[in-house]
Amino acid sequence: MAMVMISCPNTGRDVPTGIETDPSSFESFVAAAPIRCPVCGREHAWSKTNAWLAGSLGCLQETKFASRASRPAR
Ligand SMILES: [Zn+2]
């Protein structure tokens, strides 16, 4: 399991969403509820196109998902 991370649009910081999943489940995500950002305190809508999985394999997974970013999200 790995934490889903997003980038805070207000501060540019990496923010954990508090949602843990695995890569195969992450692939099937279509939409997710907004999360309250612990950095700036605002709620941020997010989708898997601008989120990634944290963890020891984060760099590899980020590259993998980035290569699929051209695919329409919905
Ligand atoms: Zn924020």
Side-chain angles (χ1 to χ4, degrees):
M1 300 289 273
M3 184 70 73
V4 179
M5 305 286 293
I6 64 168
S7 180
C8 173
N10 294 327
T11 66
R13 299 269 297 275
D14 295 348
V15 177
T17 62
I19 299 167
E20 286 191 88
T21 187
D22 57 75
S24 59
S25 296
F26 186 72
E27 275 288 296
S28 66
F29 273 24
V30 178
I35 61 109
R36 181 171 292 276
C37 177
V39 176
C40 71
R42 305 281 296 273
E43 288 196 343
H44 301 317
W46 62 277
S47 69
K48 71 179 180 186
T49 57
N50 60 9
W52 67 94
L53 294 179
S56 58
L57 296 177
C59 292
L60 290 174
Q61 290 168 346
E62 187 174 358
T63 301
K64 174 188 170 189
F65 288 122
S67 69
R68 304 172 69 114
S70 60
R71 190 178 63 184
R74 45 191 147 171

